[in-house]
Amino acid sequence: MPFPLRPLIAATLVVSLMPLLGCSKPETSGPAQAGFDALVTSCTQFLADRAPHVRPGGSGEWTKTGYSPALLKPELSRTESPVTPYVGKIVVKDNEAQATATTQAAAEAVTLTPAHLLSNRTHTFVYSFDGKTWRWQNGQLLTKIPGHNDTTVALTLADVSAMGPKGFIGCLPR
């Protein structure tokens, strides 16, 4: 390419890319980012601290249920709304395993393995930030059980804030 055309092509590229420079939304920072980071840390710790639990079954047996280490994926986005300038989403993927035994002691002694897989689960939690605090908005649970149809269930705040092994209280804003 002749030398005189190079500056012209460079100028054309710069001018054609200029509209793209301002099209991205500003990066999140400040209280929204700090609060969401704290929420993600709390949720991560809560999930890491889960332990298998043993409960009596319906016909005299005992059931041990446990969860694999969770894969947690947070997303934080700026919106165009002055009322809700940020939204956040946390997706939690884990596996649920279950085994039964005739006695409580036998159930507690079971080491859960992939052979005990009950389901693959994906929990999705959505949050909004009003400029001051984060609030839980909604959630859903997608369950995949081998040999069955996938199920999706809407989660309520009561479901997520429940105490015990079914709840996700550590994934709620404080």
Side-chain angles (χ1 to χ4, degrees):
M1 172 179 309
F3 182 82
L5 289 179
R6 284 187 186 162
L8 180 59
I9 290 173
T12 303
L13 281 173
V14 168
V15 170
S16 65
L17 292 176
M18 283 177 90
L20 298 176
L21 295 177
C23 73
S24 66
K25 295 177 185 171
E27 290 297 317
T28 56
S29 63
Q33 183 70 55
F36 193 69
D37 288 347
L39 178 59
V40 170
T41 299
S42 172
C43 189
T44 301
Q45 187 61 51
F46 172 81
L47 295 168
D49 290 345
R50 291 183 300 178
H53 58 279
V54 174
R55 299 206 175 208
S59 57
E61 79 280 353
W62 289 82
T63 303
K64 182 174 189 174
T65 305
Y67 308 98
S68 66
L71 171 66
L72 189 135
K73 182 181 178 198
E75 294 178 24
L76 178 59
S77 302
R78 184 160 175 73
T79 71
E80 301 295 327
S81 169
V83 176
T84 308
Y86 296 95
V87 293
K89 179 170 75 169
I90 296 176
V91 177
V92 177
K93 293 185 178 200
D94 67 0
N95 298 317
E96 184 177 36
Q98 211 169 61
T100 58
T102 56
T103 66
Q104 182 177 4
E108 288 173 359
V110 170
T111 300
L112 295 171
T113 67
H116 296 110
L117 177 69
L118 178 63
S119 64
N120 300 317
R121 307 178 319 162
T122 303
H123 289 85
T124 304
F125 306 122
V126 178
Y127 310 89
S128 64
F129 185 75
D130 63 9
K132 293 183 177 112
T133 59
W134 281 99
R135 288 186 172 64
W136 187 84
Q137 291 299 312
N138 61 55
Q140 75 174 23
L141 167 61
L142 169 65
T143 305
K144 296 179 177 223
I145 300 173
H148 293 86
N149 290 331
D150 298 350
T151 59
T152 302
V153 177
L155 297 173
T156 66
L157 182 56
D159 295 329
V160 177
S161 62
M163 298 302 290
K166 294 283 184 187
F168 282 82
I169 197 150
C171 299
L172 290 176
R174 294 188 182 133

